[in-house]
Amino acid sequence: MDVAFSFAGETLVPLASGALFWPAQATLLVADLHLEKASHFARKGWLLPPHATAETLAALIDAVEASGATRLICLGDSFHDQSGPDRLLPEARSALQLMTRNLDWWWITGNHDEDAAAALGGRVMTETRLGPLVLRHEADAGDRTPELSGHFHPKLVIRQRGRHIARRCFARSATKLILPAFGAFTGGLDVADPALRAALPGPAEALVLDGGRLLRFPVV
Amino acid sequence: MLEVAGRGRHALLTAPTGAGKTLAGFLPTLADLVTTPHAGLHTLYISPLKALAVDVQRNLLTPIAEMGLDITVETRTGDTPSDRKARQKARPPQILLTTPESLAILLSAPESLTMMAGVRRVIIDEIHAFGTTKRGDQLSLCLARLQKLAPAMQRVGLSATIADPESWAGWLAPDADAAAVEIVRAEAGVDPEIDILAIDDRIPWGGHNGRYAARAVMQQIARSRLAIVFVNTRAVAELVFRDLWAENDEALPIGIHHGSLAPEARRKVEAAMAAGRLRAIVATASLDLGLDWGDVDLVIQMGAPKGASRLLQRTGRANHRMDEASRCLIVPGNRFEYLEALAARDAVAAGELDPDAFRPGGLDVLAQHVVGLVAAAPIHPDELYAEVRSAAPYAGVTRDAFDRVLDYAATGGYALKAYERYQRIVAGRDGLLRLRSAALARQWRMNSGTIVEAVAMNVVFGTGKPGRYGRKLGQVEEYFAGQLRVGDSFMFAGQTLEVTGFDGADIHVRMGRGSPKVPVYAGGRMPMTTRLAARVRGLMNAPARWAAMPDDVREWLELQARISRLPGLDDVLVETFARDGRWYMAVYGFAGHPAHQTLGMLVTQRMERAGLMPLGFVASDYAMVCWSLEPVDDPRPLFDPTVLEDELADWLAASPFLRRAFREVAIIGGLIERVQPGVQKSGKAMSVSADLIYDVLRKHQPDHLLLTAAWTDARGKLTDVARLADLLEQAHGRLTHVRTAHVTPLAVPSMLTIGRERVGAEADSALLAEAEALIAEALRFD
């Protein structure tokens, strides 16, 4: 696990899928699944592939199995909208219910989904503390407690030798760590975007997992 | 024309530019309206350009007024105010001038059924500009619908001189029945005068846009009334304009015209041309079509013309009179281009034009069209299928393929039947298809059309303060815009602009100075046509012609014959030589840039497997040159055509070509929303990018309709697979391998482009790591 890094005294392991494993707590964290985003569009006449939810859940199951986590925490916007859970296809619904039964499952509420996921099992909370870290959906620039959050969908955008490369990334400062969006149909926001910089005061870094290495890029 | 019209037959009129064919197309309409009163719409005129429709209206209204006729003529385009559009539906003019996009929208309205019922004639102007494109697919489907609403309607196609009128007649005819169309050929005018510029018998080794000749070009402009300087890409237009300006000692008024400039800016330049206020205009294909914008007496083609038809059409922009010769001057970029220019001139003189490659219509266009038809009125699928098949590009669509398109349009076409309750098209008890809601019809109208632009940002004068901006200059692609920072300068609309700030989808600029960047635009040069390539080979094999060539070119060919040999008429010459510790292989395929690009990928991949350690390759219209650490002793196995399909499939799937093609079909096919011009792409969570959809679909449903459509597009358009396959067959059968002691004369133009190529798509990981290492190094304190 040479990609592990230290944050607020804790050792954290980023996974290529965009999930974060916290070995000391046997906890896997993911942000912004945006489940049922495709069917949200379908209602408006844009018939996007319905496979995205299955794709996201399969990646989630892989991450749980690879890490051996016993607790799973979703950092908000797990569904694209409030009525998302009602639109789950039967297979996806059972897969989710099975996971919420077998794992210690925490839903942190986001701005898109609020407490919609409660019906699927697991605990629902607006924010919480775990060890020395506070967990919430959207970073609170005024809070100095070390914090894990999602919401911004950070991605690294670089230009090297005429090519434009964009990758999902973790964005961190000394006391804040923002997870990339985990959902299959989630886009990203440049880590250098003013909105994201405002949420991440002080010197910041983008962390990208590539080919088994953890690459670090200062954010200017 | 009157004769053919009298017999009620469909007609295709081919005539050189300037022969007055548009007016000829309208004569039977005017004659008919004078003798027989006709309430309602009589003739529809369809043009590829909005501006052309407006121009034709002006040209029609004058004679109508002079003859005191009571005939109403109106235009209907994207610029027509909505109250007038509504009025046109209730009380249509007798002659309506429109574009394929506006016609398609009109045909989706329920009112179209009565409005079109009495139409007698439809005139399609500049038909050659439509035929083999997706716009042509859409237009053909619209014609099928019109014919159904007005069975007696006569179709009239107007075209510039084309290679193969019979094929075009088939395209124009209902049910692709060419026999139903009468071909009318106008008499040819005076032959054009085409010259090739060679300053003091010099033609450069490398380059491809003729910029070295700016001074001579400026002198030609000074000797002419009004010159059009045609270039092959928008980026080159900016560069050439700047070069000319630097040589413009007399400060002659010259302008610039290309597809990324704001419409207002283009209109202004066109008006200045028409009024005789300009002496020259630097233009891309944006000026290829239609309008008669003034007294042009010279056309200058910078770089090789790439096709005989194209050269003839561009030359025709000079001198819209039948009794005087049009004059054109070609400025070849390098010695190959000199041969190509000469070949094009020979072809024009011999009347040998390039045939158009007709292909089956796009399924994405069909998917869009059926939704529009269902919006107009409920229709049975069998009836819809019959209608669609009467459009030539869709004559071969099987019922199975059609049903797949219908299923896609209705539910997205997914194996998972997840969207039954969100179906867009529903079948009633009567078996008729209907749109689920009126809102879907509105959505369709907002998103219809077959032209998909790259995501762009607006260039506007401004100080960087949000919401406060001045005149709009045009658009640059988002990709290029993303590289700009405040204080950077770039060339646009013939000026150097400095970035003052960003506001949503706008880049604010002011006039600047310094060394500017040049915007990059997707979709670059056209490849040289197959017929022209054959003629270039012919010239190389006809030493008798060499004497009349400039010294530079003649000596180049003679030297090549001595050091190596010249490519034959139908072989593939392969040269290998060593230089600076690397081994080079030059392959002269004359198959066009895209085919050589793909060949380079394929051959270097095979060299990799053979342990030859290839390092890179460059491609041009004429040749592909690659280099490696180990020599190629026997090139033959590298050109084995047998596993081409598999290798190509692997490569294409991973390449950005297929992703780009997918974005286009996803927008045309109505899967994702068109980004409306000037509207900022909505926030991160609001839209789903075509790239993410592509990844999910490829994994979960690789046979999805849109993936099939994207695959077809990418194969046809982007890699020129047919030409590559021909080239490989040819290389396999007739490969001539020559080993030389050093670089050969023919290889030099390609070798000069080495180092300017981009790295491959697979290199992202390496580049990421490299970027991190560079940054780490820069930040090191020790």
Side-chain angles (χ1 to χ4, degrees):
Chain A
M1 293 218 176
D2 56 349
V3 296
F5 62 90
S6 169
F7 176 75
E10 297 294 316
T11 298
L12 302 175
V13 184
L15 306 184
S17 57
L20 183 72
F21 182 50
W22 186 353
Q25 298 282 351
T27 296
L28 189 72
L29 297 118
V30 290
D32 300 279
L33 303 180
H34 284 266
L35 297 172
E36 292 306 307
K37 183 171 180 176
S39 58
H40 172 77
F41 276 77
R43 282 194 300 186
K44 297 186 290 177
W46 302 105
L47 304 174
L48 302 183
H51 318 96
T53 294
E55 174 79 16
T56 305
L57 291 180
L60 199 53
I61 292 167
D62 285 351
V64 170
E65 287 177 354
S67 61
T70 55
R71 180 188 293 130
L72 197 138
I73 304 176
C74 298
L75 294 172
D77 285 358
S78 303
F79 282 88
H80 188 68
D81 63 295
Q82 273 272 55
S83 59
D86 305 336
R87 299 194 306 271
L88 281 172
L89 291 176
E91 311 78 53
R93 175 181 302 276
S94 352
L96 255 177
Q97 284 169 335
L98 188 68
M99 278 198 282
T100 57
R101 265 203 309 276
N102 292 341
L103 297 168
D104 179 13
W105 191 288
W106 302 4
W107 302 103
I108 303 241
T109 57
N111 52 314
H112 276 257
D113 57 350
E114 299 178 32
D115 60 354
L120 296 159
R123 298 162 56 190
V124 178
M125 50 198 86
T126 51
E127 60 174 66
T128 192
R129 267 191 90 111
L130 186 61
L133 306 182
V134 69
L135 315 182
R136 56 168 66 101
H137 177 56
E138 183 175 350
D140 179 353
D143 187 349
R144 292 202 186 160
T145 322
E147 166 200 81
L148 297 181
S149 66
H151 182 66
F152 286 101
H153 304 201
K155 72 173 176 193
L156 174 75
V157 180
I158 65 162
R159 287 176 182 86
Q160 180 75 353
R161 289 210 245 154
R163 283 189 63 79
H164 163 111
I165 304 171
R167 291 284 175 89
R168 293 180 189 202
C169 70
F170 293 83
R172 69 163 291 180
S173 66
T175 59
K176 294 198 176 316
L177 176 60
I178 302 178
L179 272 65
F182 190 85
F185 274 176
T186 49
L189 182 67
D190 189 339
V191 284
D193 190 275
L196 218 158
R197 287 302 280 129
L200 201 65
E205 225 176 22
L207 309 177
V208 177
L209 209 63
D210 185 83
R213 290 181 55 202
L214 185 69
L215 308 178
R216 296 160 181 265
F217 296 83
V219 180
V220 284
Chain B
M1 269 320 288
L2 279 169
E3 234 177 83
V4 179
R7 292 197 293 275
R9 303 252 292 155
H10 304 297
L12 174 63
L13 172 62
T14 74
T17 321
K21 59 179 176 291
T22 305
L23 205 57
F26 277 104
L27 269 182
T29 296
L30 299 181
D32 198 23
L33 283 173
V34 168
T35 54
T36 331
H38 183 98
L41 189 55
H42 180 285
T43 293
L44 266 169
Y45 163 88
I46 301 157
S47 133
L49 298 173
K50 283 190 239 178
L52 189 54
V54 175
D55 198 52
V56 167
Q57 183 190 29
R58 199 169 47 231
N59 291 343
L60 268 182
L61 286 177
T62 314
I64 287 173
E66 281 169 1
M67 289 186 275
L69 301 177
D70 183 22
I71 295 174
T72 48
V73 183
E74 290 179 15
T75 58
R76 183 187 183 93
T77 68
D79 298 339
T80 308
S82 55
D83 57 332
R84 191 182 309 158
K85 284 183 178 169
R87 202 260 302 137
Q88 284 174 344
K89 280 186 200 167
R91 278 174 291 120
Q94 287 163 305
I95 299 176
L96 185 66
L97 316 170
T98 188
T99 59
E101 289 74 21
S102 290
L103 176 62
I105 291 175
L106 188 55
L107 290 174
S108 75
E111 295 93 328
S112 66
L113 273 70
T114 45
M115 181 180 177
M116 299 298 172
V119 171
R120 308 291 297 274
R121 308 180 74 230
V122 59
I123 302 171
I124 301 129
D125 205 355
E126 308 268 10
I127 191 172
H128 58 276
F130 289 120
T132 58
T133 65
K134 290 193 178 183
R135 286 185 95 193
D137 295 345
Q138 180 189 36
L139 175 58
S140 184
L141 289 165
C142 287
L143 290 175
R145 165 51 54 126
L146 282 172
Q147 200 82 52
K148 195 168 128 190
L149 299 177
M153 180 187 75
Q154 183 193 21
R155 303 185 184 189
V156 179
L158 308 177
S159 159
T161 316
I162 39 181
D164 183 9
E166 286 72 25
S167 297
W168 281 99
W171 187 88
L172 176 65
D175 301 312
D177 174 18
V181 176
E182 210 150 313
I183 297 171
V184 182
R185 288 183 177 83
E187 268 175 57
V190 182
D191 286 340
E193 280 170 25
I194 298 172
D195 289 312
I196 303 170
L197 183 75
I199 309 162
D200 302 328
D201 266 5
R202 312 296 312 215
I203 302 283
W205 281 99
H208 60 79
N209 43 38
R211 287 176 56 202
Y212 66 92
R215 179 146 207 96
V217 169
M218 207 56 227
Q219 286 164 358
Q220 291 286 336
I221 291 170
R223 270 183 245 135
S224 312
R225 273 195 311 275
L226 170 57
I228 303 182
V229 181
F230 276 115
V231 297
N232 290 337
T233 68
R234 284 172 274 189
V236 173
E238 297 286 352
L239 291 167
V240 164
F241 180 83
R242 191 185 173 85
D243 293 344
L244 291 180
W245 197 251
E247 299 289 348
N248 191 358
D249 304 337
E250 297 171 58
L252 299 177
I254 60 179
I256 180 168
H257 192 282
H258 63 71
S260 285
L261 300 183
E264 311 84 69
R266 271 183 274 164
R267 293 300 94 81
K268 226 173 114 184
V269 174
E270 288 157 12
M273 253 178 103
R277 290 199 304 272
L278 286 184
R279 292 293 298 282
I281 182 160
V282 178
T284 60
S286 62
L287 267 193
D288 268 354
L289 286 173
L291 309 219
D292 198 350
W293 273 307
D295 212 359
V296 179
D297 60 342
L298 177 66
V299 162
I300 298 173
Q301 165 67 40
M302 303 294 280
K306 300 298 159 202
S309 301
R310 197 168 190 218
L311 175 63
L312 187 65
Q313 274 157 29
R314 287 191 164 178
T315 302
R317 308 301 300 155
N319 222 332
H320 270 208
R321 272 191 295 263
M322 294 296 287
D323 54 351
E324 267 178 55
S326 304
R327 287 199 307 129
C328 177
L329 178 70
I330 306 175
V331 183
N334 62 47
R335 293 156 194 205
F336 271 120
E337 289 204 346
Y338 175 84
L339 295 179
E340 187 186 324
L342 192 57
R345 190 174 79 173
D346 288 353
V348 167
E352 183 193 276
L353 302 178
D354 305 298
D356 293 281
F358 290 91
R359 85 267 183 281
L363 296 180
D364 50 340
V365 180
L366 183 57
Q368 181 186 100
H369 188 74
V370 296
V371 177
L373 292 186
V374 169
I379 185 167
H380 193 278
D382 295 349
E383 192 188 344
L384 191 52
Y385 178 55
E387 177 183 333
V388 162
R389 289 230 308 174
S390 71
Y394 297 94
V397 170
T398 62
R399 182 62 196 238
D400 187 50
F402 174 78
D403 286 342
R404 273 185 76 200
V405 168
L406 215 48
D407 178 45
Y408 162 77
T411 69
Y414 301 110
L416 278 174
K417 290 289 168 206
Y419 289 158
E420 312 269 274
R421 59 196 147 144
Y422 311 124
Q423 309 205 15
R424 295 191 292 198
I425 296 173
V426 289
R429 281 166 194 273
D430 50 9
L432 302 185
L433 305 174
R434 290 178 173 80
L435 220 50
R436 184 168 50 87
S437 71
L440 288 172
R442 275 197 303 279
Q443 197 177 74
W444 182 89
R445 284 197 298 274
M446 293 292 290
N447 288 275
S448 69
T450 59
I451 300 172
V452 177
E453 305 278 2
V455 182
M457 291 184 77
N458 301 317
V459 181
V460 298
F461 280 121
T463 56
K465 284 210 188 75
R468 297 172 58 89
Y469 57 88
R471 187 156 58 87
K472 185 180 162 185
L473 292 162
Q475 296 194 317
V476 291
E477 288 177 18
E478 195 186 40
Y479 171 79
F480 174 74
Q483 303 178 25
L484 294 172
R485 298 282 172 263
V486 171
D488 281 355
S489 54
F490 64 103
M491 264 188 225
F492 192 79
Q495 295 153 349
T496 297
L497 302 174
E498 184 189 324
V499 179
T500 57
F502 298 88
D503 178 21
D506 296 334
I507 304 173
H508 286 207
V509 297
R510 64 169 175 228
M511 301 294 256
R513 48 184 73 240
S515 59
K517 302 180 181 188
V518 184
V520 216
Y521 300 94
R525 292 171 287 156
M526 307 270 293
M528 173 179 57
T529 63
T530 313
R531 285 200 180 179
L532 214 49
R535 281 185 174 272
V536 170
R537 281 174 180 272
L539 286 170
M540 291 187 146
N541 284 276
R545 298 282 311 267
W546 299 0
M549 294 180 184
D551 295 345
D552 269 356
V553 180
R554 191 183 62 247
E555 285 160 13
W556 178 60
L557 293 173
E558 285 167 355
L559 211 58
Q560 171 71 16
R562 244 192 352 258
I563 293 173
S564 169
R565 55 182 294 166
L566 287 158
L569 291 175
D570 59 356
D571 65 353
V572 173
L573 173 65
V574 176
E575 294 174 334
T576 51
F577 50 86
R579 189 170 181 275
D580 282 348
R582 288 172 175 189
W583 290 91
Y584 289 81
M585 177 168 74
V587 183
Y588 303 92
F590 296 93
H593 180 265
H596 287 149
Q597 186 79 28
T598 315
L599 178 75
M601 170 283 301
L602 184 75
V603 164
T604 49
Q605 226 171 56
R606 289 177 176 182
M607 287 168 71
E608 185 82 58
R609 281 202 296 273
L612 302 179
M613 290 182 269
L615 300 169
F617 71 87
V618 287
S620 73
D621 268 346
Y622 317 98
M624 187 279 290
V625 174
C626 61
W627 54 98
S628 54
L629 292 179
E630 294 294 324
V632 176
D633 288 323
D634 178 13
R636 219 164 295 265
L638 296 175
F639 296 90
D640 185 353
T642 46
V643 285
L644 173 66
E645 281 293 318
D646 300 346
E647 284 172 282
L648 217 52
D650 290 348
W651 176 71
L652 253 187
S655 78
F657 293 136
L658 204 51
R659 289 177 178 274
R660 220 174 290 147
F662 181 78
R663 176 174 170 265
E664 187 184 300
V665 298
I667 289 174
I668 295 175
L671 185 70
I672 56 177
E673 194 166 3
R674 200 178 265 278
V675 179
Q676 303 297 342
V679 177
Q680 166 75 315
K681 213 163 75 170
S682 32
K684 59 189 161 64
M686 299 312 288
S687 62
V688 179
S689 84
D691 263 6
L692 296 174
I693 298 172
Y694 173 82
D695 289 336
V696 164
L697 262 189
R698 244 186 74 194
K699 191 161 161 195
H700 293 269
Q701 202 173 332
D703 62 347
H704 189 265
L705 183 83
L706 289 188
L707 288 180
T708 314
W711 179 245
T712 310
D713 279 8
R715 284 174 56 96
K717 202 163 47 191
L718 299 159
T719 64
D720 239 343
V721 172
R723 277 178 92 170
L724 177 66
D726 288 350
L727 174 61
L728 285 186
E729 289 290 347
Q730 206 175 10
H732 209 59
R734 262 190 284 260
L735 186 146
T736 314
H737 180 201
V738 181
R739 288 185 182 81
T740 60
H742 56 80
V743 58
T744 65
L746 282 200
V748 170
S750 298
M751 301 279 289
L752 284 174
T753 65
I754 291 175
R756 281 191 247 149
E757 81 281 11
R758 298 241 179 115
V759 294
E762 309 76 21
D764 280 5
S765 280
L767 288 180
L768 262 181
E770 180 182 296
E772 195 216 22
L774 280 174
I775 293 165
E777 194 179 315
L779 296 179
R780 222 164 39 206
F781 293 101
D782 55 13

